[in-house]
Amino acid sequence: MQFRSFFAALLLTLTSALALAQDKVVYHFDNSDTQATAGLRTLRNYMDTAPNTKIIAVAVGDGVNFLMEGAKDKKNPNIEYGPLISDLVSKGVKFEVCELTLRAMGLKKEQFVMDAGFTPSGVVRIGQLEGQGYGYIKP
């Protein structure tokens, strides 16, 4: 009987941990040309469906370009990223740009939308978030 109680408690704990993990997601952007428009769309859909989810979008390498001031979709220049990012930030999504990428590409923080935050290393940040139970999505 004691074994059943222990097993039931363990199962409840694991189920609770999985439920918490589903409430936190990290989006990994590394190519603005192929990921930005679709990624922002899925972020919006995610927040519309599960508004209490904690989402952090981490951009590294060429994935930082869509977070630059005035950035637009190359295939559809009518899509300006800044307002879409601001809308997502107002819903609780955080955007973080890799500072290692900035140095490698010769970019400055002032070139990015005001809603963008920064992290010393995007890859390390993604690993840390996954270690904290964040689900991983790469649009």
Side-chain angles (χ1 to χ4, degrees):
M1 194 64 135
Q2 216 173 1
F3 179 72
R4 284 186 185 167
S5 296
F6 173 76
F7 184 71
L10 180 62
L11 185 60
L12 180 61
T13 302
L14 290 174
T15 303
S16 297
L18 287 173
L20 287 175
Q22 293 171 354
D23 293 333
K24 302 183 296 187
V25 178
V26 58
Y27 270 68
H28 176 192
F29 288 88
D30 62 4
N31 187 317
S32 291
D33 291 346
T34 61
Q35 295 172 316
T37 301
L40 291 171
R41 186 178 302 120
T42 62
L43 277 165
R44 184 191 64 224
N45 292 342
Y46 203 117
M47 293 307 289
D48 287 347
T49 304
N52 295 323
T53 304
K54 184 174 182 179
I55 297 179
I56 300 175
V58 179
V60 302
D62 291 332
V64 305
N65 296 332
F66 82 99
L67 290 164
M68 296 184 76
E69 192 66 48
K72 296 179 180 183
D73 184 315
K74 288 183 180 180
K75 293 179 184 174
N76 186 351
N78 293 330
I79 298 175
E80 188 174 336
Y81 294 130
L84 300 174
I85 292 164
S86 292
D87 181 56
L88 288 165
V89 168
S90 74
K91 294 177 180 181
V93 176
K94 292 182 181 178
F95 290 86
E96 297 182 5
V97 176
C98 173
E99 291 176 356
L100 290 175
T101 296
L102 295 185
R103 285 195 290 278
M105 296 175 75
L107 300 172
K108 299 190 181 321
K109 291 180 180 180
E110 298 78 33
Q111 294 176 270
F112 291 85
V113 294
M114 291 181 61
D115 292 315
F118 299 89
T119 186
S121 169
V123 172
V124 169
R125 181 71 168 140
I126 291 167
Q128 290 170 336
L129 292 169
E130 285 187 281
Q132 295 170 20
Y134 279 70
Y136 176 86
I137 296 176
K138 186 169 184 180

